[in-house]
Amino acid sequence: MSSVIITNREDEDVDFEQDELTDNTDADETDNTEVDRKTRTKKVKGRGFKESSRLDSRYDGRSGKFDSVADEKSHGPNQKSVEGWIIFVTGIHEEAQEDDVYDLFAEYGEVKQLHLNLDRRTGYVKGYALIEYEKYSEAEDAVKNLDGTELLERKISVAFTFKTGKGKK
């Protein structure tokens, strides 16, 4: 419920009808605008009401220029994660063990981390794994040599997890 406070500077008695008090044509209750009675201009509250010709002051100077991804963290279309190079392996047999996957990928370099997710209901492997290498060369060798090979009689697909915008077709 909204209340109306009326002040009169000249101390005159002002008669208002009920329709005039409830019918507010200047600002709707759901509208975020107010009318300044002296200058008859609208004051706007909230977001999204700024003029399109006025630039946002937050982006003046260097604050609007953002750094791009450093070149040392990417090799072509492949992108390094925060800690290392992560590859994504799909098509893993549901009865594969962590040791099976680790032994296969350890041949191409030191595996920093291995995530082999299990289904909560069945306890079997979900069919994919995330493998992290410290060096790009190790991860690249694993992707090139193991993509399309078989693990426990199932063909696996191996690719880099993170990609940059470069190299998209």
Side-chain angles (χ1 to χ4, degrees):
M1 166 91 30
S2 63
S3 61
V4 177
I5 300 173
I6 301 173
T7 59
N8 190 359
R9 293 185 184 190
E10 298 165 4
D11 293 321
E12 296 178 0
D13 289 335
V14 180
D15 291 330
F16 287 102
E17 294 180 15
Q18 185 63 22
D19 291 336
E20 289 179 314
L21 288 175
T22 58
D23 186 353
N24 188 355
T25 57
D26 292 334
D28 188 31
E29 287 183 15
T30 59
D31 193 10
N32 288 333
T33 60
E34 293 180 3
V35 176
D36 188 2
R37 304 251 183 235
K38 295 176 186 173
T39 61
R40 300 302 274 171
T41 59
K42 284 188 174 184
K43 293 181 183 177
V44 181
K45 294 180 183 177
R47 295 182 181 185
F49 292 104
K50 64 183 175 186
E51 298 174 11
S52 61
S53 63
R54 197 178 90 202
L55 294 175
D56 195 353
S57 63
R58 294 181 297 171
Y59 297 114
D60 290 342
R62 278 196 40 85
S63 63
K65 298 177 182 167
F66 303 104
D67 293 333
S68 63
V69 177
D71 289 334
E72 72 226 17
K73 289 187 175 184
S74 64
H75 288 275
N78 303 321
Q79 177 69 40
K80 183 179 180 180
S81 73
V82 175
E83 296 180 4
W85 295 91
I86 300 176
I87 58 175
F88 190 66
V89 184
T90 58
I92 297 176
H93 193 274
E94 64 181 13
E95 293 182 359
Q97 298 292 316
E98 189 172 320
D99 292 339
D100 299 329
V101 178
Y102 183 86
D103 291 342
L104 181 63
F105 284 89
E107 294 176 12
Y108 298 97
E110 182 182 346
V111 175
K112 191 172 176 183
Q113 284 188 4
L114 171 68
H115 288 276
L116 188 64
N117 294 331
L118 304 177
D119 188 358
R120 288 183 189 160
R121 189 171 43 93
T122 62
Y124 290 118
V125 174
K126 283 191 171 183
Y128 68 92
L130 294 163
I131 301 169
E132 182 177 349
Y133 288 99
E134 182 70 34
K135 298 177 184 172
Y136 176 74
S137 59
E138 296 172 346
E140 185 180 34
D141 288 343
V143 169
K144 285 181 180 177
N145 295 321
L146 294 177
D147 189 27
T149 61
E150 287 190 2
L151 175 66
L152 297 178
E153 300 176 357
R154 283 200 56 190
K155 184 178 177 182
I156 59 171
S157 298
V158 184
F160 280 94
T161 303
F162 300 111
K163 302 281 187 178
T164 60
K166 305 174 200 171
K168 287 186 178 179
K169 293 181 180 180

